[in-house]
Amino acid sequence: MTEHAHEALTHLRDPSQFQWYVIPLLLVVIYVYASEIQRRDWNVLLAGLAFWGMDWFNEIWNSLVFHLTGRAPVWGAVGRTAYQILIGLNIEICFMFAIMGVAAAKMLPRDPALRILGIPNRWLLAGVNSALCVAVELLLHQAGALTWDWSWWQAACPWLIWLLGYLPFFVVGFRVHDMKRLRSKVITVGVILGVDAAALTLFGALGYL
């Protein structure tokens, strides 16, 4: 086990790490979604939930990598936090992703067919936003807040972080946003969150997380 993995494990789901700033952060997340409910903008709201669910999916398989290898997760979250949910996910990151999907959906042009610089706007925005997220992650890694202990997941090969770490979030979120029928959006989000919940329940019970 790497030193970084051991450090993350020392705070895993430790309630004594609680800090009161989590409460206003939670209220910010609630306000963001309540605002979309008030506007009845189900496209943005469900895109945000799909995005958030995709992050949970990534965090679950990241934890499984650590369990199966016994060495390290693909990425780890270390340092001070109000609550360490999984080895690569703390409560602050969780809230951030809950809001990020909504923010990304609100930036979408109304016309899905619109091209920007000759590129379909959904794919362009997914790619650019993912690249910006990777840039922030590089800074967090340099600050020691995010750890990478595998040679193939490093600053030297950021394309893999871009491709697996972020691009699917935006692609799925935008796809849900653009679905024609509300029922299709709800079913898709339900499946994503349902798979997450089932995986958390199963692998959590087995002690894999």
Side-chain angles (χ1 to χ4, degrees):
M1 182 187 303
T2 65
E3 181 180 344
H4 291 143
H6 182 268
E7 181 181 354
L9 281 181
T10 59
H11 300 302
L12 189 63
R13 292 186 286 279
D14 179 3
S16 69
Q17 298 295 309
F18 173 79
Q19 298 291 329
W20 278 105
Y21 67 77
V22 166
I23 303 304
L25 287 181
L26 174 61
L27 289 176
V28 170
V29 175
I30 292 173
Y31 176 80
V32 167
Y33 281 88
S35 296
E36 300 311 315
I37 292 172
Q38 182 182 44
R39 298 187 184 99
R40 301 181 68 81
D41 195 337
W42 311 121
N43 295 338
V44 169
L45 184 144
L46 291 168
L49 289 176
F51 186 102
W52 186 58
M54 291 299 295
D55 176 62
W56 273 104
F57 182 81
N58 265 18
E59 299 294 350
I60 293 166
W61 70 251
N62 180 52
S63 294
L64 292 177
V65 168
F66 171 66
H67 176 80
L68 294 173
T69 64
R71 179 179 181 271
V74 180
W75 61 88
V78 298
R80 296 180 61 183
T81 176
Y83 193 71
Q84 186 84 21
I85 305 172
L86 298 172
I87 197 166
L89 177 69
N90 57 41
I91 192 68
E92 296 88 352
I93 295 173
C94 181
F95 286 165
M96 180 270 292
F97 276 113
I99 296 174
M100 185 187 294
V102 172
K106 291 176 79 68
M107 290 189 290
L108 290 175
R110 290 185 177 275
D111 182 6
L114 176 69
R115 289 177 175 265
I116 301 174
L117 301 176
I119 304 172
N121 72 84
R122 272 31 177 184
W123 284 104
L124 178 64
L125 290 174
V128 170
N129 284 329
S130 297
L132 291 173
C133 288
V134 172
V136 171
E137 188 151 323
L138 289 171
L139 294 175
L140 292 172
H141 174 64
Q142 290 182 346
L146 285 177
T147 61
W148 303 329
D149 288 316
W150 295 96
S151 61
W152 40 269
W153 193 277
Q154 294 286 338
C157 49
W159 62 269
L160 191 58
I161 304 173
W162 178 85
L163 182 63
L164 296 181
Y166 290 101
L167 187 63
F169 300 1
F170 290 100
V171 171
V172 171
F174 293 170
R175 174 59 180 162
V176 168
H177 179 279
D178 291 340
M179 287 179 176
K180 301 299 184 183
R181 300 174 60 190
L182 178 59
R183 183 172 181 270
S184 299
K185 301 175 194 285
V186 172
I187 290 175
T188 302
V189 171
V191 169
I192 293 171
L193 296 180
V195 169
D196 291 340
L200 287 168
T201 301
L202 173 62
F203 295 125
L206 293 173
Y208 291 1
L209 304 179

